Amino acid sequence: MNQDSSPLLETARRYLDINHAPFYMPAHKRGQGIDRELMAIMGENMFRLDLPELPDLEDYIAEAEELAAAAYGSDRAWFLTNGSTCGVQAMLLAVCGAGDKILIGRNCHKAAIAGLVLNGATPIYLPTDYLAEYDLDLGVSPKTLELFLNLHPDAKAVMLVSPNYFGVCGELEKMVAIAHSFDIPLLVDAAHGAHLGFHPDLPKSALQSGADLVVQSTHKVAGSLTQSSMLHLQGDRIATEQVDRALQILRSSSPNLLLMISLDVARRQMAVHGKELLTETLKLAKAARSQLDQIPNLRTFSQIEVATLDDTRLTVITDCLEITGFEADEYLHSQLDVMAEMPTLTQLVFSLSFGNTQTDTERLVNGLQQLSKEKGKRKKEKTITNYQLPITIYQSKLTPREAYFAKSDRLPLNQAIGRISAESLCPYPPGIPLVCIGEEVTLEVVEMLQAIVRSGGIINGASDETLQTILVV
């Protein structure tokens, strides 16, 4: 297929010439009724293209999705305008239901736990490997997957995260082979991997590794607008109709045309110019990493230390500073105008893409040099390990669906130890639950939650935003 073409962008150009009396939704009628101040900031064309599904638009969307499937190497692609959350949940609804088992990495995003509430399946959580030197989650290993499949041969599917928020990719080719040897599909939350497969110096993508269903947040790393993602299917282990049915439940019936146009154009850019763009990104990342490793009190890691790393993701270890990663993040953006993608207790994560410039990385290096100079005193007390460390491994006492609908009590956090959580509590980002709906609240979990909050971190999913109390079964 001609990857230079962009059917939705070409359609948008034609739609800009439309001149008729608009008696369809949305209410602003192509910007005629929009607030003038908003119009001045955003521009007229954005509102002129905020259109419903006009005649023939579905044909252009289908053509754009076919181009995306060809570019990424899948058999079928779906554009998502309500993010990878929708894609993760659609994957779960497509492969299993109430009473079915699914093996799922314990480093899964909270969207997966919500998907389990929807489909009623029983999760068998897979522990992840951990690299203590960098306080780093390495994801599920092939050895762990094989062990758990032998323990649960009746599982309907496997769901893994690759890459994770730190750019660590799993050994997916091996794990696909293991899952397929048990004749079940392997699903991948590749929200951070929409650029993989377009440069030889990056790890293979989940689709190149043979995964059956893959969701990608195109907006995170491949240049589309926020909230736009893609879902890909390949092979015959999962029927297209199963995915379509799931998306009928989860997708908006009023998809945003602007988001779909951005997906179409991002696909074109990656297919036609991806290698060239990512070459420059990798050069920037390599130069920045080299300079950062010269700064006292800070250190990074690369593919030398973590072979499966996406080197466009830059993690700086802050455990030799007198402040936490959360406090370092606050210092960088409030004092030096340098914005990290994610802080943790012991790390700062920076996401580099083809949108970054050398000026950006120079400001990053200068900012971290200043941070080290101002805050570079090793803590005397023991640093609390970060929440990527796999907590005591056990299976849920209740399924997420059972716990969600069970009668719950609200207790002070310290009094909830030993009870079953009725909510998922996630440091955000990355959105990985410290405790999932249906899991036991442990002392370790409580201490880690409190440490993150004290350090300025955000806990998502708590019905009590102060985290003084928690809902438990």
Side-chain angles (χ1 to χ4, degrees):
M1 300 183 72
N2 179 15
Q3 293 292 335
D4 281 306
S5 66
S6 181
L8 288 179
L9 184 62
E10 292 155 14
T11 301
R13 288 197 184 96
R14 292 194 294 272
Y15 281 172
L16 286 175
D17 295 330
I18 290 176
N19 183 18
H20 57 214
F23 291 99
Y24 49 78
M25 301 174 202
H28 62 71
K29 310 297 181 182
R30 308 193 68 212
Q32 293 173 166
I34 209 71
D35 179 89
R36 293 299 98 184
E37 185 178 1
L38 182 59
M39 174 76 82
I41 292 174
M42 305 300 293
E44 180 181 355
N45 281 351
M46 188 188 82
F47 299 104
R48 289 178 60 78
L49 290 174
D50 184 21
L51 296 166
E53 295 186 56
L54 297 178
D56 300 325
L57 182 57
E58 286 191 7
D59 292 338
Y60 297 121
I61 294 172
E63 183 181 350
E65 289 178 338
E66 287 176 11
L67 283 163
Y72 279 93
S74 63
D75 296 329
R76 176 76 166 85
W78 291 265
F79 284 1
L80 308 176
T81 59
N82 42 344
S84 288
T85 291
C86 171
V88 166
Q89 294 170 358
M91 291 196 295
L92 288 166
L93 281 175
V95 299
C96 55
D100 291 336
K101 286 183 184 178
I102 181 167
L103 303 188
I104 184 166
R106 184 54 184 80
N107 61 341
C108 63
H109 190 268
K110 64 171 189 166
I113 307 304
L116 294 169
V117 172
L118 293 175
N119 72 1
T122 300
I124 306 298
Y125 293 122
L126 303 174
T128 60
D129 287 354
Y130 175 68
L131 185 59
E133 181 181 0
Y134 300 107
D135 195 10
L136 187 64
D137 170 28
L138 296 178
V140 178
S141 71
K143 181 179 179 180
T144 296
L145 176 60
E146 188 164 24
L147 170 65
F148 274 73
L149 276 172
N150 279 309
L151 292 172
H152 302 278
D154 54 340
K156 297 294 185 182
V158 177
M159 176 179 276
L160 302 174
V161 175
S162 180
N164 65 15
Y165 224 108
F166 301 88
V168 179
C169 300
E171 296 181 72
L172 288 182
E173 285 184 294
K174 292 181 181 179
M175 291 192 279
V176 166
I178 292 168
H180 288 177
S181 71
F182 284 80
D183 198 27
I184 59 173
L186 188 136
L187 325 176
V188 180
D189 174 357
H192 296 273
H195 61 312
L196 301 183
F198 294 99
H199 197 284
D201 293 338
L202 292 172
K204 283 186 177 182
S205 72
L207 286 165
Q208 289 174 322
S209 300
D212 300 274
L213 260 180
V214 178
V215 65
Q216 302 166 332
S217 290
T218 315
H219 69 94
K220 283 184 170 69
V221 287
S224 64
L225 293 177
T226 296
Q227 201 173 301
S228 58
S229 299
M230 296 186 195
L231 179 61
H232 293 274
L233 170 69
Q234 68 177 344
D236 57 5
R237 285 181 173 80
I238 303 168
T240 303
E241 292 77 13
Q242 292 173 254
V243 183
D244 278 327
R245 288 185 66 212
L247 288 173
Q248 284 291 329
I249 294 173
L250 296 166
R251 280 204 295 193
S252 170
S253 59
S254 303
N256 186 297
L257 179 58
L258 294 166
L259 298 183
M260 288 191 287
I261 292 170
S262 78
L263 283 168
D264 191 28
V265 176
R267 177 273 314 158
R268 183 181 68 177
Q269 183 168 253
M270 291 306 299
V272 177
H273 303 295
K275 184 178 180 181
E276 172 189 350
L277 293 169
L278 290 168
T279 294
E280 294 305 310
T281 305
L282 287 166
K283 285 181 181 177
L284 283 177
K286 182 178 181 181
R289 186 176 275 108
S290 176
Q291 294 175 75
L292 293 175
D293 283 336
Q294 306 307 311
I295 300 175
N297 306 306
L298 299 176
R299 56 201 169 96
T300 70
F301 52 85
S302 67
Q303 288 183 352
I304 296 174
E305 293 82 15
V306 183
T308 58
L309 184 69
D310 166 12
D311 268 340
T312 69
R313 197 59 57 96
L314 182 58
T315 301
V316 177
I317 312 302
T318 62
D319 58 356
C320 290
L321 299 179
E322 65 180 10
I323 57 176
T324 67
F326 296 112
E327 293 164 321
D329 179 56
E330 171 65 23
Y331 177 87
L332 283 175
H333 76 72
S334 64
Q335 302 296 319
L336 303 172
D337 291 326
V338 174
M339 299 288 290
E341 165 58 28
M342 178 182 73
T344 74
L345 282 169
T346 60
Q347 301 147 321
L348 291 169
V349 180
F350 301 91
S351 176
L352 276 69
S353 76
F354 47 77
N356 285 114
T357 64
Q358 185 170 341
T359 300
D360 293 335
T361 56
E362 288 172 355
R363 292 180 68 180
L364 171 62
V365 172
N366 291 336
L368 287 170
Q369 286 173 337
Q370 186 67 25
L371 175 70
S372 175
K373 182 179 179 181
E374 294 287 334
K375 306 294 182 181
K377 182 180 179 182
R378 180 181 291 275
K379 298 177 183 179
K380 293 181 181 179
E381 69 274 16
K382 183 180 183 296
T383 300
I384 298 173
T385 55
N386 202 9
Y387 47 82
Q388 279 76 40
L389 174 61
I391 300 167
T392 305
I393 300 303
Y394 54 85
Q395 293 306 314
S396 295
K397 306 293 184 180
L398 299 174
T399 69
R401 184 180 182 87
E402 288 169 343
Y404 182 86
F405 288 106
K407 184 180 182 301
S408 59
D409 301 314
R410 182 174 297 283
L411 293 179
L413 189 59
N414 288 327
Q415 294 180 26
I417 295 169
R419 298 286 292 271
I420 306 303
S421 179
E423 48 193 351
S424 290
L425 303 182
C426 317
Y428 205 89
I432 300 168
L434 264 178
V435 61
C436 292
I437 299 175
E439 287 183 333
E440 181 181 338
V441 180
T442 65
L443 175 61
E444 186 177 16
V445 164
V446 169
E447 289 179 342
M448 208 168 289
L449 286 167
Q450 291 172 334
I452 291 168
V453 171
R454 282 197 307 269
S455 301
I458 297 172
I459 303 298
N460 186 279
S463 55
D464 177 1
E465 293 183 0
T466 67
L467 208 63
Q468 298 298 309
T469 64
I470 181 177
L471 287 175
V472 293
V473 177

